[in-house]
Amino acid sequence: ADLLFQTAKDARLEYDCVCGVPYTALPLATIICSENQIPMLIRRKEAKDYGTKRLVEGTINPGETCLIFEDVVTSGSSVLETAEVLQKAGLKVTDAVVLLDREQGGKARLEECGIRLHSVCTLSSVLEILQQQGEVAVEMVEKVKKFIQGNVFEPVAQNGPAPVKRLCKELSFSARAELPGVHPIAARLFMLMEKKQTNLCLSADVTSSKELLQLAAILGPSICILKTHIDILNDFTQEVVKELRMLADQHEFLIFEDRKFADIGNTVKHQYEGGVFRIASWSDVVNAHVVPGSGVVKGLKEVGLPLQRGCLLVAEMSSQGSLATGDYTKAAVQMAEDNSDFVFGFISGSRVSNKLEFLHLTPGVQLQTGGDNLGQKYLSPEEVITRKGSDIIIVGRGILSASDRLQEAEKYRKAAWESYVSRLGVGA
């Protein structure tokens, strides 16, 4: 907090009040204001449905200048969102002070919107100091610098306060596997996709154990993930998942139990670890809805983290009229970022996060686009991978309904892989 305040002082900034970007910078702004007798405003991420119902709490005098404080700036989106709310309340926002500028285009984007960014330090300066002190190896410094250079957010002129995020460069799966902080499951998946040249996930929605194991044995070489709904098997036994686990290891694919956990933390913990299915003992990956809040992830993490499992969050759905849009999707992304030691990606219709450590898996894919009479919408592999920026297509009925399932799976594998290769050529 002292460093932030001193940076503002050194820049000779003139302002009437202060606002910390919610929620990490809120305690920093609180300390600055209490120690220096500066009026403070609190921006809510969402208005309450009782009380004042305001998005900005505090004494607002229209026409005054508000200084924004933030902990880290990458793309600048959080600062821009806060600035928009303050400006709608009648305040001026001309400057923002940040503890760390990651130098990924945020400063340029803010300047384009009329906000000057002042930073206590930049990521490159921190790396330089750590390297000089012998705390970080030269190789790691170069790797981080390469990542930053390849992942800069371009300023995009538009009317809204938060420009669309675009990556200047697309990284290959193998390159993403080596990113600092990538989840072990994600790294393993990136590498096996590159090795097998497949970004196809088979949705094995069958009710017979025999058919499930046949699919795994025959289509295993063509897929990177086999997605199960284990609770629809009519003849489930632990012997079935034991054999499925052996096939996964033999053909190098991950098992993803599409459980869509959506209860309080203590309940999902037991659902994941115990019961009839004992999912955590055999499934590499599970997924969860974000409706219950962060407790659902914390409960799953208690079980999955020691077992080196991973989790996907449902950020969007492919069914018509889905409510998983807008703020819901943003909340899913934030929850993933807050729990990146366990969450490594999303179930979504498009790329919802530009952090390349995260994977995006998209259901509702068929070679022939359209839909069914129950509201499912289908997109082509090219649309999903090339245009929407997803990484893996999830295909069920398109393969299961074919007379030659292996031949059909290969069609999907090739279509998705060629779209990925094309994306590498054109960028994101």
Side-chain angles (χ1 to χ4, degrees):
D2 290 341
L3 290 171
L4 287 168
F5 181 67
Q6 189 60 48
T7 299
K9 194 174 180 180
D10 292 344
R12 298 183 178 180
L13 301 181
E14 295 183 1
Y15 50 95
D16 303 293
C17 54
V18 161
C19 181
V21 175
Y23 287 104
T24 311
L26 183 57
L28 298 173
T30 302
I31 293 170
I32 290 169
C33 291
S34 62
E35 290 187 348
N36 298 280
Q37 289 74 53
I38 301 170
M40 177 177 169
L41 301 177
I42 298 176
R43 178 214 152 195
R44 297 187 185 277
K45 282 194 173 183
E46 59 285 316
K48 291 185 176 181
D49 56 5
Y50 58 89
T52 64
K53 301 181 181 181
R54 290 163 55 180
L55 279 172
V56 182
E57 297 291 349
T59 302
I60 300 172
N61 298 311
E64 289 189 344
T65 299
C66 183
L67 176 62
I68 293 177
F69 284 109
E70 174 65 304
D71 60 337
V72 178
V73 163
T74 303
S75 66
S77 294
S78 296
V79 173
L80 288 169
E81 288 171 7
T82 299
E84 179 189 16
V85 173
L86 295 170
Q87 287 164 347
K88 284 182 177 178
L91 297 165
K92 297 176 184 177
V93 179
T94 57
D95 297 88
V97 181
V98 63
L99 186 62
L100 177 67
D101 178 6
R102 289 183 56 169
E103 302 173 292
Q104 289 181 250
K107 185 174 184 178
R109 286 183 57 192
L110 289 169
E111 286 180 354
E112 190 180 59
C113 295
I115 300 172
R116 295 180 293 269
L117 183 68
H118 312 267
S119 59
V120 174
C121 56
T122 61
L123 189 53
S124 58
S125 65
V126 171
L127 285 170
E128 186 178 338
I129 293 169
L130 290 173
Q131 183 183 332
Q132 289 173 354
Q133 297 296 318
E135 299 293 335
V136 176
V138 176
E139 294 78 14
M140 178 57 72
V141 171
E142 291 306 314
K143 184 183 287 188
V144 174
K145 285 182 177 179
K146 183 179 179 182
F147 171 74
I148 292 172
Q149 291 168 1
N151 295 275
V152 175
F153 292 79
E154 297 176 348
V156 180
Q158 64 177 49
N159 295 328
V164 176
K165 290 181 272 189
R166 298 179 185 272
L167 290 172
C168 297
K169 181 182 177 184
E170 183 72 38
L171 296 182
S172 67
F173 290 146
S174 57
R176 288 166 69 182
E178 298 178 359
L179 290 174
V182 70
H183 192 283
I185 287 284
R188 182 176 157 202
L189 185 52
F190 280 134
M191 293 309 294
L192 74 84
M193 287 196 293
E194 199 77 66
K195 178 182 178 181
K196 295 175 67 177
Q197 295 194 354
T198 178
N199 49 341
L200 169 63
C201 168
L202 172 68
S203 183
D205 298 336
V206 294
T207 57
S208 159
S209 296
K210 181 180 178 182
E211 187 177 4
L212 174 64
L213 295 174
Q214 284 178 340
L215 284 170
I218 296 169
L219 304 185
S222 300
I223 63 176
C224 62
I225 299 174
L226 184 128
K227 182 173 79 70
T228 59
H229 276 295
I230 207 68
D231 56 353
I232 69 173
L233 288 181
N234 295 322
D235 52 353
F236 170 83
T237 64
Q238 283 298 323
E239 208 49 44
V240 172
V241 288
K242 183 179 178 182
E243 193 170 339
L244 183 62
R245 185 71 261 168
M246 290 173 61
L247 287 167
D249 295 339
Q250 178 186 342
H251 296 300
E252 294 186 277
F253 62 79
L254 301 187
I255 301 174
F256 164 26
E257 167 55 23
D258 190 5
R259 179 62 177 77
K260 296 187 181 75
F261 291 99
D263 215 315
I264 61 172
N266 188 58
T267 300
V268 299
K269 178 181 175 181
H270 291 299
Q271 290 173 329
Y272 187 25
E273 184 177 34
V276 177
F277 302 115
R278 286 185 279 166
I279 295 167
S281 68
W282 51 269
S283 183
D284 300 294
V285 181
V286 291
N287 59 352
H289 286 295
V290 301
V291 173
S294 60
V296 67
V297 176
K298 291 176 182 176
L300 294 172
K301 186 171 17 176
E302 281 189 25
V303 176
L305 202 59
L307 297 173
Q308 295 186 310
R309 305 303 191 197
C311 181
L312 300 166
L313 295 183
V314 180
E316 294 176 331
M317 295 186 73
S318 57
S319 51
Q320 188 174 6
S322 167
L323 302 180
T325 58
D327 289 341
Y328 183 95
T329 300
K330 288 181 182 178
V333 173
Q334 186 61 55
M335 198 178 296
E337 292 177 355
D338 293 342
N339 295 276
S340 58
D341 56 343
F342 183 57
V343 178
F344 70 94
F346 308 93
I347 302 296
S348 59
S350 60
R351 182 180 290 184
V352 296
S353 170
N354 276 300
K355 292 192 173 182
L356 296 186
E357 295 91 341
F358 287 128
L359 278 144
H360 294 78
L361 288 73
T362 298
V365 178
Q366 287 199 1
L367 294 174
Q368 299 296 322
T369 59
D372 65 12
N373 59 2
L374 294 177
Q376 176 66 291
K377 297 180 290 184
Y378 293 111
L379 297 173
S380 69
E382 182 185 11
E383 173 76 15
V384 167
I385 302 297
T386 306
R387 296 192 182 94
K388 292 186 174 291
S390 191
D391 299 304
I392 297 171
I393 61 169
I394 301 175
V395 184
R397 281 177 276 184
I399 293 173
L400 299 182
S401 62
S403 56
D404 188 330
R405 289 173 169 178
L406 177 57
Q407 184 181 58
E408 198 68 11
E410 276 297 296
K411 287 182 183 178
Y412 278 96
R413 183 193 68 79
K414 290 177 181 175
W417 190 257
E418 287 171 3
S419 297
Y420 156 68
V421 172
S422 173
R423 189 176 82 189
L424 286 181
V426 303

